[in-house]
Amino acid sequence: MLAIVVAAVAYLDMRAGAETGGGIAFYTVLSSVAVTLIARAFVWSAIVAGTHGVQVRSPLQTRRLSWAKVRDFRAEDRVVIVLADGREVRCWAVQRANIAGLLKRRSCVDDVVADLTRLHNEHMADSP
């Protein structure tokens, strides 16, 4: 999908460059970078829980947190991971829909926090 978007942008850039006499490569590269960053923001972002802990992927960084470093999970406008030292990690990947917040209804954020809390409790109970 990303390749199709980049190809379409390159084609439109080529057409615009041919009409105006501008440089094709600069705008193609600029458009490709923008599309890649946007795709990374919406496709790459995730919260992955495993046996060793939680991996939080955001557009600019990936954080790996062991279960021992995590104190709690909260459902706010997004998933918030409270670390053992009191710091917070706000997760880009799962956010509450505006309508759910306005109507005070349960959302995907609540479900993800419930699952992460259950996994955290299971793994902490198994650890020595």
Side-chain angles (χ1 to χ4, degrees):
M1 177 66 180
L2 182 60
I4 294 171
V5 172
V6 170
V9 168
Y11 174 75
L12 293 174
D13 184 37
M14 181 183 68
R15 295 285 305 230
E19 292 173 5
T20 62
I24 296 171
F26 173 75
Y27 294 108
T28 300
V29 170
L30 185 65
S31 301
S32 299
V33 169
V35 168
T36 302
L37 288 175
I38 290 169
R40 187 168 167 100
F42 292 104
V43 176
W44 174 253
S45 299
I47 301 172
V48 181
T51 56
H52 299 293
V54 180
Q55 180 184 46
V56 179
R57 292 191 321 223
S58 66
L60 300 177
Q61 70 176 351
T62 297
R63 294 190 68 177
R64 289 173 182 83
L65 307 167
S66 68
W67 289 118
K69 290 183 181 179
V70 175
R71 182 185 340 155
D72 195 19
F73 298 94
R74 282 199 324 259
E76 294 180 359
D77 62 325
R78 62 195 69 218
V79 174
V80 178
I81 302 173
V82 181
L83 303 179
D85 63 5
R87 291 180 299 148
E88 296 182 350
V89 177
R90 300 180 67 79
C91 303
W92 172 286
V94 182
Q95 300 181 21
R96 187 180 308 276
N98 290 337
I99 192 71
L102 290 173
L103 299 176
K104 305 290 185 204
R105 292 197 173 159
R106 187 169 179 84
S107 73
C108 183
V109 171
D110 301 304
D111 296 334
V112 170
V113 166
D115 288 341
L116 288 170
T117 301
R118 180 183 52 78
L119 288 169
H120 180 256
N121 293 339
E122 288 175 6
H123 287 285
M124 293 308 289
D126 291 342
S127 65

